Amino acid sequence: MELEARIEALAEKVRKHAEILETEEASKFALVNPFLEALGYDLTDPSEVIPEFTCDVGGKRGEKVDYAIKIKDELVFLVECKSSRAQLNLKHASQLYRYFGASDAKFAILTNGEVYKFYSDLDATNRMDDEPFLE
């Protein structure tokens, strides 16, 4: 199945199920995981997809981002997930901002499974931009 068809099938699933997904874990399982798979990532390969990736920030230990995605052993992007019922806001983005700064990732995604906000460091190297470059 082509990427466009997979994304359209996922969009239909979002329209059908988003309202009944009550938790972040349910949203990850039903919406975010299929999105990552549609992009071609193997969720069962821990060298490619790392759930609960540790991103210690300053004096805080044990800070975890929902997913870190690697390509050929290089950290490429982070994914922070929220419940499909959550309105993505500045608080969520600031959490991802901390994780981004503590990692070598060049891209970050903030999502509730329905909305995907894509960030990078286009304004200042190694510092996540305040606004997504794609939503």
Side-chain angles (χ1 to χ4, degrees), residues 10 28 32 46-47 57 60-61 70 102 109 112 126:
L10 182 55
K28 282 170 38 178
V32 178
S47 68
V57 179
K60 287 188 168 189
R61 298 285 175 228
K70 289 186 168 186
I109 300 171
N112 60 8
N126 298 326

Side-chain angles (χ1 to χ4, degrees), residues 1-128:
M1 185 184 289
E2 299 266 344
L3 177 60
E4 186 176 334
R6 286 183 274 179
I7 297 298
E8 184 54 43
L10 182 55
E12 181 58 35
K13 185 183 280 191
V14 168
R15 287 188 285 275
K16 185 175 180 182
H17 298 299
E19 288 186 19
I20 63 172
L21 299 171
E22 295 185 10
T23 66
E24 180 179 310
E25 283 302 309
S27 297
K28 282 170 38 178
F29 185 78
L31 305 175
V32 178
N33 289 355
F35 175 75
L36 294 173
E37 289 174 329
L39 294 178
Y41 296 103
D42 180 356
L43 297 177
T44 65
D45 182 348
S47 68
E48 188 172 276
V49 179
I50 306 166
E52 296 296 308
F53 182 74
T54 301
C55 282
D56 291 336
V57 179
K60 287 188 168 189
R61 298 285 175 228
E63 293 281 300
K64 297 186 185 303
V65 65
D66 291 301
Y67 295 106
I69 308 298
K70 289 186 168 186
I71 297 176
K72 297 180 183 176
D73 294 325
E74 184 178 331
L75 183 60
V76 179
F77 65 93
L78 304 174
V79 182
E80 180 62 22
C81 307
K82 300 300 173 193
S83 166
S84 63
R85 293 182 174 193
Q87 294 292 327
L88 300 178
N89 59 40
L90 185 58
K91 178 184 173 189
H92 301 138
S94 65
Q95 181 183 18
L96 187 56
Y97 184 90
R98 290 193 316 272
Y99 298 151
F100 187 88
S103 76
D104 295 329
K106 292 297 176 195
F107 298 97
I109 300 171
L110 175 62
T111 185
N112 60 8
E114 184 174 354
V115 174
Y116 289 80
K117 295 185 177 193
F118 294 79
Y119 295 87
S120 190
D121 60 351
L122 302 173
D123 296 333
T125 304
N126 298 326
R127 185 174 169 196
M128 190 176 98

